């Protein structure tokens, strides 16, 4: 432990290193399940397809959490929020997850560059030659431009994540309030860049799995899912760190309460976007739009769809609404874990029904779930391990932020 340079008030500087080596070892151990998932893909029937789609789903599940964290960091700077200062550094650390995700998403891009159509039918020149609609979309959906957009997306996200973290860390050393003003001024344009890149990345990597279908609200849907995932992980992280004696005094029940409120609010926002997309497609009843929901009604996918309606929205809406549920660390952690699992089911529901075996819609099966779970734990292990390494030695709280005092004294009305 160290103390900040603040002449007026000494603040204890804590780092994630105080947790010891065990969290990193556990994360690295979990990463072993990624090659296990690949081996399982070689064993089961249609296993390669199951692995490829599971890998895509796992990477974009973890990526959504980091993108949610990045948005939270930028919006707090833009609105000059004071209450969240003690939480912001953990969010900045989580946003660094875009760095390992850039590496893990690269094989997906390289696969398309070879013309392999396992994931994207438009990646194969033969498929495009036989499909009039794909020919019309070819100026956008082509392998070269896809690779260029991948570079733009991840370069933008990595730059933004590093920029806000580095300026915040620099302020820990200098205490210069001008750095806060700089981050405020940059956050507006940064959010615009973020909005465009996230929206088109969702179009490119997930929506184009079925290149015949489109939804202009799809990017917002992925954005909402990412925020549910992020606030879930933030709540779990804060409860865990406080249980280990880190951030126990700065992060109070008042802060946990607000994180719980944001988790509840954005889960409702996710449900609003989901029903908006569904109602527009249901009401119009146009064949090229209904193709998204039709495969998600059969072969076990109807049960998953119902699970999202009831499990992702209805149950939390009824039982997580209560104030005391958000102020009790144990119940908050329970609902955060629950909604993180539901968020995983949601991304699973978006990606996996796009599989097609000999023209048949895939049924939910044990091999599919097993490979997907192994993939998610493996990718998640790499995701967490990289964040722990990148955040090593750094304070888990902005100790010289000019609004720190406001955050330390924060109370809900």
């Amino acid at each position: 432990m160290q103390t900040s340079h603040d002449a007026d008030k000494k603040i204890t500087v804590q780092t994630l290193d105080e947790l010891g080596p065990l969290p990193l070892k556990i994360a690295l151990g979990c990463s072993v399940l990624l090659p296990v998932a690949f081996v399982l893909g070689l064993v089961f029937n249609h296993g390669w397809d199951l692995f490829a789609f599971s890998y895509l789903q796992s990477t974009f599940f973890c990526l959504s959490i980091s993108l949610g964290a990045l948005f939270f960091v930028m919006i707090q700077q833009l609105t000059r929020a004071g209450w969240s200062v003690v939480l912001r550094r953990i969010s900045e650390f989580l946003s660094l997850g875009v760095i390992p995700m850039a590496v893990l998403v690269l094989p997906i891009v390289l696969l398309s560059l070879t013309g392999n159509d396992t994931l994207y039918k438009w990646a194969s020149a033969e498929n495009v030659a036989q499909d009039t609609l794909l020919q019309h979309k070819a100026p956008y959906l082509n392998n070269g431009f896809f690779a260029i957009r991948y570079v733009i997306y991840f370069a933008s996200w990595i730059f933004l994540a590093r920029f806000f973290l580095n300026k915040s860390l620099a302020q820990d050393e200098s205490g210069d309030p001008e750095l806060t003003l700089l981050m405020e001024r940059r956050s507006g344009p940064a959010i615009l860049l973020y909005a465009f890149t996230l929206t088109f990345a969702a179009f490119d990597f997930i929506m184009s799995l079925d290149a015949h279908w489109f939804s202009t609200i799809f990017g917002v849907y992925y954005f909402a899912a990412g925020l549910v995932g992020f606030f879930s992980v933030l709540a779990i992280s804060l409860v865990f760190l406080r249980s280990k004696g880190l951030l126990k005094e700065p992060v109070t029940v008042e802060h946990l309460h607000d994180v719980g409120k944001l988790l509840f609010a954005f889960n409702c926002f996710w449900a609003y976007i989901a029903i908006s997309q569904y109602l527009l497609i249901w009401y119009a009843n146009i064949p090229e739009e209904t193709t998204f929901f039709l495969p998600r009604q059969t072969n076990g996918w109807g049960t998953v769809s119902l699970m999202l309606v009831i499990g992702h929205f209805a149950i939390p809406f009824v039982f997580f609404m209560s104030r005391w549920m958000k102020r009790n660390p144990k119940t908050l952690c329970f609902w955060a874990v629950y909604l993180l699992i539901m968020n995983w089911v949601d991304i699973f529901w978006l990606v996996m029904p796009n599989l097609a075996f000999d023209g048949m819609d895939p049924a939910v099966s044990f091999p599919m779930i097993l490979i997907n779970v192994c993939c998610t734990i493996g990718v998640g292990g790499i995701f967490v391990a990289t964040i722990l390494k990148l955040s090593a030695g750094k304070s888990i709280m902005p100790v010289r932020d000019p609004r720190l005092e406001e955050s330390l004294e924060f109370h809900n009305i």
Side-chain angles (χ1 to χ4, degrees), residues 31-59 104 107-108 111 118-119 209 348 351-352 355 357 365-379 382:
S31 67
V32 174
L33 286 179
L34 183 57
V36 170
F38 178 78
V39 172
L40 289 173
L42 300 177
V43 174
F44 290 114
N45 191 28
H46 300 296
W48 164 246
D49 300 272
L50 288 173
F51 173 77
F53 277 81
S54 297
Y55 183 79
L56 173 68
Q57 187 250 322
S58 300
T59 53
L104 291 174
I108 297 171
L111 187 67
T118 300
L119 290 172
L209 289 169
F348 177 81
V351 173
M352 300 307 291
L355 270 163
F357 302 141
S365 62
F366 173 74
M368 177 187 290
I369 295 173
L370 179 61
I371 292 175
N372 209 297
V373 169
C374 288
C375 251
T376 301
I377 296 174
V379 170
I382 297 171

Side-chain angles (χ1 to χ4, degrees), residues 352-404:
M352 300 307 291
N354 291 288
L355 270 163
F357 302 141
D358 301 322
M360 299 292 291
D361 293 328
V364 179
S365 62
F366 173 74
M368 177 187 290
I369 295 173
L370 179 61
I371 292 175
N372 209 297
V373 169
C374 288
C375 251
T376 301
I377 296 174
V379 170
I382 297 171
F383 176 75
V384 172
T386 307
I387 290 174
L388 290 173
K389 290 294 290 183
L390 293 174
S391 58
K394 299 177 177 66
S395 172
I396 56 177
M397 187 175 71
V399 292
R400 303 185 76 185
D401 189 287
R403 291 189 289 266
L404 177 59

Side-chain angles (χ1 to χ4, degrees), residues 64-209:
S64 69
I65 295 169
S66 284
L67 292 177
L70 180 57
F71 174 78
F72 179 75
V73 169
M74 294 187 295
I75 203 69
Q76 298 308 297
Q77 295 288 0
L78 183 65
T79 58
R80 302 179 180 179
W83 74 272
S84 60
V85 170
V86 294
L87 318 174
R88 205 182 65 229
R89 183 59 55 77
I90 298 299
S91 305
E92 290 166 350
F93 288 162
L94 287 172
S95 72
L96 294 178
V98 296
I99 297 173
M101 288 302 104
V103 177
L104 291 174
V105 171
L106 181 59
I108 297 171
V109 178
L110 294 177
L111 187 67
S112 73
L113 286 174
T114 64
N116 188 296
D117 65 352
T118 300
L119 290 172
Y120 305 108
K121 300 306 175 188
W122 52 262
S124 167
E126 183 179 348
N127 291 337
V128 174
Q130 298 173 1
D131 193 314
T132 304
L133 186 57
L134 291 183
Q135 292 170 19
H136 284 290
K137 294 187 176 184
Y140 183 83
L141 288 180
N142 63 78
N143 295 329
F145 194 24
F146 179 63
I148 292 171
R149 293 196 302 275
Y150 153 79
V151 173
I152 293 172
Y153 299 150
F154 280 94
S156 300
W157 298 333
I158 291 171
F159 169 76
L160 293 176
R162 296 294 302 178
F163 173 82
F164 286 101
L165 175 61
N166 288 341
K167 295 303 177 187
S168 184
L169 290 172
Q171 191 174 60
D172 285 351
E173 296 296 323
S174 67
D176 185 2
E178 287 296 320
L179 289 171
T180 294
L181 296 176
L182 175 64
M183 288 186 281
E184 288 175 6
R185 289 193 294 266
R186 296 292 184 268
S187 57
I191 286 178
L192 291 176
L193 175 63
Y194 170 91
F196 279 106
T197 51
L198 179 143
T199 299
F200 282 94
F203 290 166
D204 289 353
F205 285 94
I206 302 179
M207 194 174 78
S208 76
L209 289 169

Side-chain angles (χ1 to χ4, degrees), residues 278-289:
Y278 174 78
L279 287 177
L280 288 172
I281 292 174
W282 172 80
Y283 183 77
N285 200 27
I286 301 173
E288 56 264 34
E289 294 180 352

